[in-house]
Amino acid sequence: MNKKGMIGFPMRLAVTFLILAIFVPVAFSMVDGLEKDSAASAAKAEAEKIAGAAKRTYYSGAGSTETISISLSGGSCLVIGGEGSESYSISILLGDNVVEKMYLQRPSVRFLGDPLYLMGNRVITAECVIDDGTYGVKVVILD
């Protein structure tokens, strides 16, 4: 029997396990990062649909409405409006982290009312209104 072959095999096995121990966590991290990026991109596309509808109704004047169907997955959430400068924004959340915040500029469209949290598949309506002398867009969940 070849003693050199017997000694070399455990060394090859150890090197193989070392390479796997380094590569597997890196691969899982990359896959997790890709999934988060994909969910964030899909949520951003939905936020842009809402922003577009808000701008169109704002330009059309008080009383104009538009219905939007959105689909969010991967633990993503959209927060429309808020207090102060947040009332001009749509926040994209993955879990508890704000991934991106879109401010509606040109024109600066203000979302009226309390912050609206959207998750999953929803049908919403954007309506341009004048509320207590404030001109803006109110977003309401229909389903």
Side-chain angles (χ1 to χ4, degrees), residues 27 48 51 67 80 100 105 110 125 134 139-140:
E48 287 173 351
T67 302
I80 301 172
E100 189 169 339
Q105 300 172 352
R110 182 174 186 181
T125 184
T134 305
V139 179
V140 179

Side-chain angles (χ1 to χ4, degrees), residues 91-120:
S91 300
I92 301 169
L93 283 76
L94 286 180
D96 292 335
N97 300 324
V98 176
V99 176
E100 189 169 339
K101 191 171 292 232
M102 295 174 52
Y103 286 94
L104 277 69
Q105 300 172 352
R106 297 189 184 112
S108 294
V109 178
R110 182 174 186 181
F111 291 107
L112 302 175
D114 293 330
L116 183 65
Y117 293 81
L118 300 173
M119 296 178 76

Side-chain angles (χ1 to χ4, degrees), residues 53-72:
K55 288 178 181 181
R56 285 188 296 274
T57 57
Y58 186 84
Y59 276 128
S60 297
S64 64
T65 62
E66 187 169 331
T67 302
I68 311 113
S69 178
I70 63 163
S71 177
L72 298 167

Side-chain angles (χ1 to χ4, degrees), residues 6-8 21 23 68 81 85 92 104 111 132-133:
M6 290 299 290
I7 294 173
F23 177 73
I68 311 113
S85 65
I92 301 169
L104 277 69
F111 291 107
D132 291 331

Side-chain angles (χ1 to χ4, degrees), residues 13-43:
L13 193 58
V15 169
T16 302
F17 280 119
L18 179 65
I19 291 171
L20 285 175
I22 293 170
F23 177 73
V24 170
V26 171
F28 279 126
S29 175
M30 288 175 55
V31 169
D32 187 46
L34 288 173
E35 288 175 355
K36 287 180 180 178
D37 288 346
S38 175
S41 293

